[in-house]
């Protein structure tokens, strides 16, 4: 966070500056063309060092055939690297749904995304991601696999023309080699067991820190894409779930014991909530860059350093038996003790609280209402005997979800949801110095939306999607890092439902506000607004 101010240079805007005035007034309604998609998030900060760029994907996705290739590290930019940046560039024209994309290098998931829906005239877009954490994986040639499943025919004409690049920035001078894990491992022999993902991992014998990443998405066009509005099976609604309702929790197990719990993010893709006009220019938070859930598994590391494979299982609680729709690719990041041939240790405590999860259904004046409350807590502690002494790591997690889902009549019109998800975790490490290091993360997701259709078939969606986080790292009484994130989308759009596109007379407004603050006054704050498909305001400022 102390380098956050450099983000302004990367974004191309000075603090307090406003983007140039828009060229013209927006049209009175959506036409056949609109501005290219974008977000208010900052560009990835890049150092002014020598760099090399490698194209790893160049494909026109028009069916469900994956792209395969080979990545070779750039000979002119050998490691170590200060930073590695992934950039995906895409273009599409015509008519097409939003599609989901998944990129692997060496079997490890580097990137998941969803695509924007195009105009008849065509759009281009790009997404950047800091993938420095995967630098150990990229030090030698690896196979590349990417899929953006697509359907192209006489109706859906949009072919997704996509390129993906990796740019390697050399470590030079004050731009030191990145501090990363020593190994990045995929699960071996991954397989599905009902709604769960199972696999094995064999970690190095001298592992002293272990973190799992799970790129969890409910997707595929069925009810699990909109899991947060599912109802108990006994309730008259078009997306029933298990009897407990819409509560979902992503659990990870190690050798049959729960090792981590988390709330999934309520992703809204660019055709979501029955209204693509909301998302043509500004996507919802995380739609273009689907971030993984991270679990610190270090308390279990002492049980895994025997050189044998151990089972990892990822499960989504609350999904009805037999229902597909969750994708759960999982990676392991490993830090090794370079001065030990083998690290040993064990578990000190696993305390898994009782799952609290319940939904109540009421009917008042023709309105159905489902109120859901759920929550869970976990505390895990373990120790390691390392070359620098005994290290004890304790992970404490608390997750919860509250929602109110209301709809009227058999037609489910209007249909409204207000929901929040809270996800807090604290990792405390004793043994690296006199004082403990504590890392605390408090995340809060919010979704508030309503869909209504008039007797004239005029459909209107009003929605807010919020992604906030407060992350703090301390050493004893000293703050090492503190940052706060607020990533909020708001929008409203209307169109005539059930008629050809030229007769829809669509109108809509949207705003994406992204604010990131840190220590010593570091701040990035940008807000973009649109009307009827064109940007009307792009302002960057910090109060």
């Amino acid at each position: 966070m102390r380098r956050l101010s450099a983000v302004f240079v990367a974004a191309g805007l000075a603090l307090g500056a406003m983007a140039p005035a828009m060229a013209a007034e927006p049209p009175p309604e959506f036409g056949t063309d609109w501005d290219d998609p974008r977000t208010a998030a900052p560009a990835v900060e890049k150092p002014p060092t020598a760099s090399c760029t490698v194209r790893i994907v160049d494909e026109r996705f028009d069916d469900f055939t994956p792209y395969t290739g080979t990545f070779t590290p750039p000979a002119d930019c050998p490691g170590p690297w200060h930073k590695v940046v992934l950039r995906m560039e895409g273009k599409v024209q015509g008519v097409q749904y939003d599609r989901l994309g998944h990129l692997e290098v060496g079997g490890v998931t580097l990137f998941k995304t969803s695509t924007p829906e195009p105009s008849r005239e065509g759009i281009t877009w790009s997404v950047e991601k800091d993938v420095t954490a995967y630098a150990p994986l990229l030090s030698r040639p690896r196979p590349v696999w990417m899929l953006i499943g697509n359907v192209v025919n006489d109706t859906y004409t949009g072919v997704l023309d996509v390129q993906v690049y990796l740019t390697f920035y050399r470590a030079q001078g004050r731009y030191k080699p990145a501090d990363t894990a020593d190994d990045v491992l995929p699960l071996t022999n991954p397989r599905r067991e009902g709604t769960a993902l199972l696999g094995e991992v064999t970690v190095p014998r001298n592992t002293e820190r272990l973190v799992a990443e799970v790129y969890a998405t409910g997707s595929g066009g069925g009810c699990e894409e909109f899991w947060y509005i599912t109802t108990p099976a006994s309730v008259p609604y078009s997306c029933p779930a298990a009897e407990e309702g819409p509560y979902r929790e992503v659990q990870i197990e190690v050798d049959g014991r729960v090792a981590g719990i988390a709330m999934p993010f309520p992703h809204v893709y660019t055709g979501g909530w029955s209204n693509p006009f909301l998302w043509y220019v500004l996507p919802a938070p995380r739609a273009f860059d689907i971030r993984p859930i991270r679990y610190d598994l270090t308390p279990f590391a002492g049980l895994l350093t025997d050189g044998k494979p151990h089972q990892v299982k990822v499960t989504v609680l609350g999904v009805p038996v037999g229902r597909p729709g969750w994708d759960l690719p999982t990676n392991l990041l490993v830090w090794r003790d370079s001065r030990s041939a083998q690290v040993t240790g064990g578990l000190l405590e696993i305390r898994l609280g009782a799952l609290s999860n319940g939904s109540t259904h009421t009917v008042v004046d023709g309105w159905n209402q489902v109120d859901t409350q759920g929550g869970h807590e976990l505390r895990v502690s373990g120790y390691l005997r390392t070359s620098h002494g005994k290290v004890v790591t304790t992970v404490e997690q608390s997750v919860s979800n509250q929602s109110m889902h209301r709809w009227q009549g058999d037609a489910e019109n209007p249909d409204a949801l207000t929901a929040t998800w809270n996800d807090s975790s604290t990792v405390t490490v004793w043994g690296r110095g006199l004082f403990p290091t504590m890392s605390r993360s408090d995340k809060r997701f919010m979704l508030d939306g309503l869909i209504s259709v008039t007797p004239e078939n005029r459909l209107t969606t009003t929605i807010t999607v919020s992604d906030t986080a407060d992350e703090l790292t301390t050493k004893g009484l000293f703050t090492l890092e503190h940052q706060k994130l607020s990533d909020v989308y708001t929008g409203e759009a209307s169109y005539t439902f059930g008629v050809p596109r030229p007769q829809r007379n669509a109108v809509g407004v949207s705003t994406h506000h992204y604010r990131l603050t840190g220590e010593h006054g570091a701040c990035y704050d940008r807000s973009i607004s649109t009307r009827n498909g064109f940007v009307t305001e792009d302002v960057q400022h910090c109060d």
Side-chain angles (χ1 to χ4, degrees):
M1 286 306 306
R2 293 184 177 87
R3 300 190 304 275
L4 187 62
S5 59
V7 167
F8 299 110
V9 176
L13 292 171
L15 179 63
M18 179 180 290
M22 303 302 107
E25 288 296 316
E29 61 183 43
F30 278 87
T32 60
D33 196 18
W34 44 81
D35 278 342
D36 289 331
R38 67 204 65 192
T39 77
V44 176
E45 180 187 351
K46 306 174 184 71
T49 63
S51 64
C52 298
T53 298
V54 179
R55 186 173 65 190
I56 63 170
V57 175
D58 186 2
E59 182 73 350
R60 290 169 55 85
F61 292 98
D62 58 6
D63 57 17
F64 284 81
T65 302
Y67 170 87
T68 58
T70 301
F71 158 75
T72 301
D76 292 338
C77 292
W81 303 298
H82 177 75
K83 183 160 287 190
V84 184
V85 178
L86 178 149
R87 180 178 175 87
M88 188 189 85
E89 298 178 353
K91 58 184 177 182
V92 60
Q93 179 179 3
V95 178
Q96 195 50 265
Y97 283 122
D98 51 316
R99 305 297 185 181
L100 290 175
H102 181 172
L103 171 67
E104 294 181 359
V105 176
V108 170
T109 298
L110 262 62
F111 180 60
K112 284 182 75 173
T113 187
S114 66
T115 63
E117 296 195 10
S119 67
R120 298 297 180 100
E121 306 299 324
I123 58 170
T124 63
W125 81 101
S126 62
V127 186
E128 281 190 344
K129 179 180 179 180
D130 185 343
V131 293
T132 311
Y134 303 108
L137 177 81
L138 303 173
S139 61
R140 61 185 180 89
R142 304 279 187 180
V144 175
W145 181 96
M146 186 175 189
L147 177 62
I148 306 179
N150 196 12
V151 174
V152 176
N153 53 35
D154 291 342
T155 301
Y156 301 106
T157 58
V159 177
L160 294 158
D161 189 352
V162 170
Q163 293 77 41
V164 180
Y165 304 88
L166 293 175
T167 300
F168 297 81
Y169 294 87
R170 297 186 66 177
Q172 294 175 340
R174 66 186 183 93
Y175 298 96
K176 305 300 182 184
D179 184 10
T180 70
D182 295 294
D183 304 281
V184 184
L185 308 174
L187 293 184
T188 58
N189 191 28
R191 57 202 180 277
R192 300 302 298 232
E193 183 179 274
T195 59
L197 173 72
L198 275 75
E200 286 78 42
V201 64
T202 303
V203 304
R205 289 180 180 270
N206 60 344
T207 297
E208 66 173 349
R209 186 184 174 205
L210 184 64
V211 172
E213 294 184 326
V214 179
Y215 283 83
T217 52
S219 53
C223 286
E224 287 304 307
E225 182 172 332
F226 310 101
W227 49 270
Y228 39 78
I229 59 167
T230 60
T231 64
S234 58
V235 174
Y237 188 75
S238 55
C239 262
E243 199 55 41
E244 292 80 9
Y247 182 86
R248 300 290 184 270
E249 177 182 312
V250 185
Q251 281 192 1
I252 189 166
E253 299 178 13
V254 175
D255 288 339
R257 287 177 281 197
V258 176
I261 59 177
M263 290 285 93
F265 186 79
H267 295 100
V268 179
Y269 307 117
T270 59
W273 281 67
S274 302
N275 205 322
F277 295 97
L278 285 164
W279 322 106
Y280 280 147
V281 180
L282 300 177
R286 304 198 192 194
F288 283 179
D289 182 7
I290 295 170
R291 301 206 299 271
I293 299 169
R294 289 173 64 93
Y295 303 89
D296 195 320
L297 304 183
T298 306
F300 286 82
L303 303 178
L304 308 180
T305 56
D306 55 5
K308 300 177 181 179
H310 292 265
Q311 186 182 83
V312 175
K313 180 179 181 180
V314 182
T315 307
V316 182
L317 299 188
V319 180
V321 175
R323 175 181 288 176
W326 280 88
D327 186 38
L328 303 166
T330 300
N331 308 322
L332 279 300
L333 283 71
V334 177
W335 286 257
R336 289 184 263 122
D337 183 349
S338 61
R339 296 184 178 182
S340 289
Q342 182 170 8
V343 169
T344 61
L347 279 172
L348 296 171
E349 177 186 21
I350 298 182
R351 188 192 309 164
L352 180 65
L355 174 64
S356 170
N357 178 23
S359 293
T360 59
H361 173 231
T362 56
V363 182
V364 179
D365 297 330
W367 282 85
N368 288 272
Q369 181 169 317
V370 172
D371 293 284
T372 298
Q373 288 196 358
H376 215 179
E377 293 185 349
L378 174 67
R379 175 185 169 93
V380 182
S381 186
Y383 69 95
L384 292 171
R385 300 184 186 91
T386 72
S387 65
H388 38 85
K390 184 178 180 179
V391 178
V392 177
T393 301
T394 301
V395 178
E396 298 170 282
Q397 296 177 292
S398 176
V399 300
S400 64
N401 166 225
Q402 300 82 37
S403 70
M404 179 179 69
H405 182 193
R406 302 178 74 237
W407 68 94
Q408 193 168 33
D410 294 339
E412 301 169 4
N413 177 35
D415 194 352
L417 175 73
T418 300
T420 58
W421 296 263
N422 294 286
D423 189 320
S424 297
S425 66
T426 302
V427 179
T428 305
V429 181
W430 287 89
R432 292 180 175 273
L434 184 61
F435 300 104
T437 300
M438 184 191 76
S439 299
R440 180 171 177 84
S441 173
D442 293 301
K443 301 183 182 71
R444 183 178 176 87
F445 316 138
M446 188 271 286
L447 202 161
D448 188 355
L450 181 144
I451 302 172
S452 62
V453 183
T454 68
E456 297 77 28
N457 262 10
R458 192 73 178 165
L459 186 151
T460 299
T461 305
T462 305
I463 193 168
T464 298
V465 185
S466 174
D467 178 11
T468 61
D470 187 340
E471 298 185 343
L472 172 68
T473 301
T474 61
K475 180 79 169 179
L477 299 177
F478 297 95
T479 296
L480 302 180
E481 185 175 18
H482 189 196
Q483 72 173 32
K484 294 183 179 181
L485 167 70
S486 175
D487 186 358
V488 181
Y489 171 97
T490 58
E492 179 175 284
S494 302
Y495 66 98
T496 302
F497 183 67
V499 299
R501 285 176 179 260
Q503 301 173 30
R504 292 183 179 178
N505 303 119
V507 294
V509 294
S510 63
T511 296
H512 182 204
H513 183 201
Y514 190 103
R515 182 178 176 87
L516 183 65
T517 59
E519 297 175 83
H520 312 299
C523 176
Y524 172 92
D525 189 309
R526 185 180 182 187
S527 180
I528 304 176
S529 296
T530 75
R531 180 179 294 276
N532 301 338
F534 289 88
V535 173
T536 57
E537 187 177 56
D538 186 345
V539 180
Q540 187 159 332
H541 59 84
C542 277
D543 297 329

